[in-house]
């Protein structure tokens, strides 16, 4: 008897075909056709005294991966990013905004978005399928705002490029670090203290875990280390052969002054920044900022 003519084999084949058909029908039902388009434009016009005004409007779409922290495990988001910039060629400074809208993939974009984030800035990018990092600096000072990708909740601002690393080697368990440089327009009264240099920020993709406020006994030195025009800040993550992890902050004076770097080291012990373990020059201090 041919193999496929046996009753048991026939039933198995029929069952498999039935399941495959059901799966195909389900897939056809869950994949919803979607089409959307938005124009990107540029315009150049005459400004004052023969100058040229340039205005650019860009729109781009992106689909995320799954496992976004704070969203259903198998969900993907459809993102629409819009940047709008305007400046006068030859003049310093510019105007700009960046916005991000998000929908669960497959949702009709005519429906209300999960969220719409709009801030002043030049651009933005997705980091680690969990954060949206908006570049906010439109003048001489570069700075960034960090938001949760799941709901656009603001986590923190940083005046150095975002530093990221996994706290353990066996799996991906990301940590994010930034540095807040206080300005004269700081809303928090504690940041207006003339001894304050800045705030080191240690976070997960969900929340800020620790803030350390850094101070200097010498007010003139503190003012210099806060200055955007006179100093440059660099923040890096280091891990040695034994696995010890350290954050290294170096603030250097700009040319034509000698660099005269001020270095602070922040050991990470058991996923924590302990002010007592921070290594700083004499006259410098770090304490927990609630």
């Amino acid at each position: 008897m041919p193999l496929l003519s046996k009753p048991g084999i026939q039933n198995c084949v029929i069952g498999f075909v039935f399941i495959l058909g059901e799966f195909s029908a389900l897939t056809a039902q869950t994949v919803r056709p979607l089409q959307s388009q938005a124009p990107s434009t540029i315009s150049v016009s005459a400004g004052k005294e023969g100058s040229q005004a340039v205005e650019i409007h860009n729109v781009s779409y992106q689909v995320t991966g799954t496992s976004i922290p704070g969203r259903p495990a198998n969900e993907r988001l459809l993102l629409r990013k819009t940047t709008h910039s305007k400046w006068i060629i030859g003049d310093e400074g510019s105007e700009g905004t960046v916005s991000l809208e998000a929908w669960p993939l497959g949702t009709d974009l005519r429906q209300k978005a999960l969220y719409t984030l709009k801030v002043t800035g030049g651009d933005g990018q997705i980091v680690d399928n969990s954060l949206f990092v908006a570049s906010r600096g439109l003048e001489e000072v570069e700075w960034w705002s960090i938001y949760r990708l799941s709901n656009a909740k603001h986590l923190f601002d940083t005046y150095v490029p975002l530093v990221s690393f996994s706290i353990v080697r066996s799996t991906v368990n990301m940590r994010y670090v930034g540095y807040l440089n206080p300005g004269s327009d700081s809303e928090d009264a504690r940041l207006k203290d003339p001894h304050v240099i800045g705030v080191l920020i240690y976070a997960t993709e969900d929340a800020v875990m620790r803030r350390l406020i850094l101070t200097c006994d010498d007010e003139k030195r503190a003012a210099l280390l806060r200055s955007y025009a006179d100093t440059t800040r660099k923040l890096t993550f280091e891990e040695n052969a034994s696995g010890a992890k350290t954050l290294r902050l170096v603030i250097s004076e700009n040319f034509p002054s000698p660099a005269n770097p001020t270095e602070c080291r922040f050991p990470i012990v058991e996923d924590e920044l302990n002010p007592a373990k921070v290594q700083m020059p004499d006259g410098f201090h770090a304490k927990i900022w609630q």
Side-chain angles (χ1 to χ4, degrees):
M1 177 182 295
L3 181 61
L4 291 180
S5 65
K6 294 183 179 180
I9 298 297
Q10 287 179 331
N11 291 337
C12 289
V13 172
I14 292 172
F16 175 75
V17 171
F18 175 79
I19 294 173
L20 182 61
E22 288 292 297
F23 177 78
S24 300
L26 179 61
T27 302
Q29 292 173 359
T30 56
V31 176
R32 300 174 182 175
L34 171 67
Q35 185 174 7
S36 178
Q37 60 182 4
S40 293
T41 62
I42 181 171
S43 63
V44 180
S45 57
K48 296 180 180 179
E49 299 178 356
S51 62
Q52 289 181 306
V54 180
E55 186 170 3
I56 297 177
H57 187 94
N58 280 327
V59 181
S60 61
Y61 292 91
Q62 182 176 347
V63 175
T64 70
T66 57
S67 302
I68 300 172
R71 300 297 306 173
N74 294 322
E75 182 185 70
R76 297 177 187 269
L77 294 181
L78 173 61
L79 307 175
R80 181 166 63 195
K81 182 180 72 174
T82 305
T83 58
H84 177 234
S85 60
K86 184 177 182 180
W87 73 94
I88 305 296
I89 293 179
D91 286 358
E92 295 184 0
S94 61
E95 300 176 8
T97 58
V98 56
S99 64
L100 185 71
E101 301 164 277
W103 295 265
L105 182 61
T107 302
D108 190 330
L109 300 194
R110 290 173 295 184
Q111 295 186 22
K112 184 179 179 180
L114 284 173
Y115 61 79
T116 299
L117 170 69
K118 185 175 183 179
V119 294
T120 59
D123 203 353
Q125 62 178 337
I126 308 303
V127 172
D128 296 335
N129 203 52
S130 59
L131 301 177
F132 179 67
V133 179
S135 177
R136 307 291 306 280
L138 293 172
E139 303 292 338
E140 296 179 355
V141 178
E142 289 188 299
W143 62 291
W144 297 262
S145 289
I146 317 301
Y147 301 89
R148 291 184 64 185
L149 184 60
S150 62
N151 57 10
K153 175 186 175 182
H154 178 254
L155 288 178
F156 59 90
D157 295 331
T158 177
Y159 284 74
V160 299
L162 183 69
V163 174
S164 62
F165 57 92
S166 181
I167 196 65
V168 293
R169 286 183 173 274
S170 57
T171 185
V172 177
N173 194 356
M174 300 302 294
R175 295 294 179 266
Y176 302 93
V177 185
Y179 182 78
L180 179 62
N181 199 58
S184 58
D185 58 348
S186 298
E187 296 181 359
D188 194 305
R190 293 171 293 179
L191 295 180
K192 296 182 179 180
D193 185 323
H195 298 94
V196 172
I197 301 170
V199 180
L200 188 74
I201 304 164
Y202 186 71
T204 68
E205 70 274 3
D206 292 318
V208 172
M209 298 174 63
R210 176 69 74 210
R211 290 183 175 91
L212 295 183
I213 189 166
L214 314 181
T215 60
C216 176
D217 294 339
D218 185 336
E219 291 187 12
K220 291 185 177 179
R221 181 68 177 164
L224 176 65
L225 297 178
R226 286 195 305 269
S227 171
Y228 300 117
D230 299 319
T231 55
T232 299
R233 287 142 288 279
K234 185 177 181 180
L235 181 64
T236 55
F237 168 75
E238 300 175 352
E239 183 174 6
N240 62 22
S242 64
K245 301 173 178 62
T246 304
L247 294 166
R248 180 172 177 259
L249 173 68
V250 179
I251 306 177
S252 303
E253 295 183 38
N254 294 336
F255 182 83
S257 299
N260 192 23
T262 298
E263 179 176 332
C264 305
R265 300 180 69 87
F266 307 86
I268 303 171
V269 181
E270 296 181 351
D271 201 14
E272 179 61 276
L273 295 179
N274 187 340
K277 297 183 180 296
V278 175
Q279 303 163 21
M280 307 181 76
D282 292 340
F284 288 75
H285 312 278
K287 65 179 181 179
I288 296 174
W289 188 40
Q290 300 293 345

